[in-house]
Structures are given as structure tokens and as C-alpha cells.
Amino acid sequence: MQLPLVTSAGVWPPVLVTAGPGARSEAHAHHAMHLVLARVGTLAVTAGDATVRAAGIVTAPDHEHALDARGVDIVLVFFDPESDAGERLRAGLDAPVRAIDAPERDALLADLPADAGPEALHAWGHAAAERLSFETAVPRVIHPRVRKLLRALRSAEPEADTSLPGLAALAGLSEGRLVHAFRDSVGIPLRPYLLWQKLQRAVVAMATGEPLARAAHSAGFADAAHMSRTFRRMFGMTASELQRNLPRPP
């Protein structure tokens, strides 16, 4: 997997488009949705006991899967499920994995030049979400106080108070109500979501050239070993394996 160079601290943007040589990941689950397209040929995804080979896939958030895209160039798009684009795409999924056939893949890639820059990739990612969504689908309803909290968490510093009392006060809900409203709105409990956000911060730090130990500290992990275990669980590879695929800062 190859990620674009990130030049500012914080979590990933709602739509993150990358391109480059494909790789193989072990079984993993993360909160982002992703669209993976083989520019030519096919890739394989395993979810549960089933393995599907297709020209591309869309995966739902928080569902375990393994990807094998060795030997092909891919376009990989991460969607924040709570973003506008992510909500539209999520509403159109009726299974944890949706296979994309060659004609649909070719239609999606028709407007994406092989040498597209970051801005063109970003615009194409939003357009792809539109093309893959269904107009009749009903998006997940997010509690307005939970949406307020999500916005605050995206802009919060790593040292911000993320205790349950602190987050409940920020959202303007009781602690018990926040716990239930967050899971109903987002689909996972609050603590796993905060861990996913830490992981995003770590990738941003690594992409700007920080070594693993410093990236772990800046993202709020106890140490690099804890961060690497979390990487394997959520990305199917260790932090050092991912780092080897990151482009070098200028």
C-alpha cells in the first residue's frame, strides 16, 4: 500500500486517495470504508470463509477482511464512514464486501489519469463515491450531538481530554446516553473509535518523516510496540511494514 505524503498534523481527510503497487494484508478490520481497484487485472479479498477475485472491491467499515493485490497496480480510496461521501457510499452497501467487475472498474477509472496529482485524486475519490452510491439508499442517522463530538475529535490535539466525562461534557450528553448514542450512530463503541483515530494520527506522523517511536508518542500510544500491534489488527501489517511503503519527505 502506498500513501501520499502528508504535510500537516492531524487525522486523515474524509476521502484519501492513493495509488501505487498493490500488496498483501493479513486479516484485519478498521473503521474506514475502502474502495480498491486494480488498474489492470484482478485482486482477491477474503471475508470469512469466502474469497472473491474481482477487478475491484468496496468494503464496509469494521468488517474483517484480507486483501491480496500483489503484482497489480491499484487505486485505493479510504472513506471516513461519517463523512458526506462515506455516508452515501455506506448506504449503498448491502453486504460487508461488494465486488466490482471489469466494466464498472473501467468506467470508474476512465476519468483518472495515470499521473494524477493529489487534487485530481481527491476530486476523483468524491466522484467515485457518488457513482457507487444508490440514490434510493437511506444514510445512517447520526445523533446531532454525536456529530458535534466527531467534528471536535477530528480537530482535537492528541493530548485532549478523551475521558468519558470529558467527552460527554463536550457532546452535551450524559455519559450513559453518549455511550449508547455513539454506538448507534457510528456502529462501534467510543473507545475503539478513539483508537482508530490514534492510528490515523500515527500514519500522518510517519508520512511526515517521524520515526516509529516518535510517531507512536505523538499519536498518544504508550509505545511503538503497542502501536505496531494495533497496526497489525487494523491494517493487517505492522507499522514498520507500512512505513517501508511510505514515500520519503522532501
Side-chain angles (χ1 to χ4, degrees):
M1 180 173 63
Q2 202 172 62
L3 297 175
L5 185 64
V6 182
T7 57
S8 60
V11 295
W12 294 354
V15 178
L16 176 61
V17 186
T18 77
R24 178 184 179 275
S25 66
E26 299 174 0
H28 63 283
H30 48 64
H31 187 57
M33 303 177 66
H34 67 12
L35 163 68
V36 191
L37 299 174
R39 285 189 180 271
V40 178
T42 60
L43 49 83
V45 61
T46 301
D49 297 328
T51 297
V52 175
R53 181 163 286 278
I57 57 156
V58 179
T59 64
D62 309 305
H63 284 278
E64 188 174 84
H65 62 281
L67 183 68
D68 189 348
R70 291 173 293 182
V72 295
D73 284 337
I74 64 169
V75 176
L76 170 63
V77 192
F78 286 96
F79 294 95
D80 179 347
E82 285 71 54
S83 68
D84 290 342
E87 286 183 9
R88 290 193 299 272
L89 186 59
R90 187 177 190 174
L93 280 179
D94 56 5
V97 176
R98 174 185 169 191
I100 294 175
D101 61 22
E104 187 175 20
R105 181 268 315 276
D106 293 343
L108 287 167
L109 292 179
D111 298 326
L112 181 64
D115 58 350
E119 291 186 4
L121 286 172
H122 181 75
W124 178 87
H126 280 273
E130 288 284 355
R131 296 186 67 164
L132 290 168
S133 63
F134 299 122
E135 294 182 1
T136 58
V138 179
R140 177 189 292 266
V141 176
I142 298 180
H143 191 291
R145 296 298 179 89
V146 172
R147 193 178 291 279
K148 173 187 175 183
L149 179 60
L150 291 171
R151 287 196 298 267
L153 287 172
R154 288 192 63 82
S155 60
E157 295 295 326
E159 304 81 19
D161 179 12
T162 57
S163 66
L164 182 56
L167 295 177
L170 186 59
L173 295 170
S174 69
E175 294 177 25
R177 180 62 181 136
L178 174 60
V179 168
H180 291 292
F182 192 93
R183 179 157 196 159
D184 289 345
S185 296
V186 178
I188 58 172
L190 182 55
R191 287 299 150 194
Y193 179 86
L194 293 173
L195 186 59
W196 166 243
Q197 190 175 58
K198 277 187 181 182
L199 201 67
Q200 294 179 71
R201 292 185 184 279
V203 173
V204 169
M206 290 162 55
T208 56
E210 291 192 9
L212 293 184
R214 191 179 302 167
H217 177 74
S218 64
F221 284 99
D223 51 40
H226 179 212
M227 182 180 75
S228 195
R229 290 194 299 271
T230 306
F231 263 85
R232 183 176 290 280
R233 189 168 71 251
M234 292 191 178
F235 281 132
M237 62 182 68
T238 64
S240 59
E241 288 172 329
L242 176 67
Q243 189 181 50
R244 285 195 291 271
N245 289 315
L246 289 172
R248 299 292 182 185

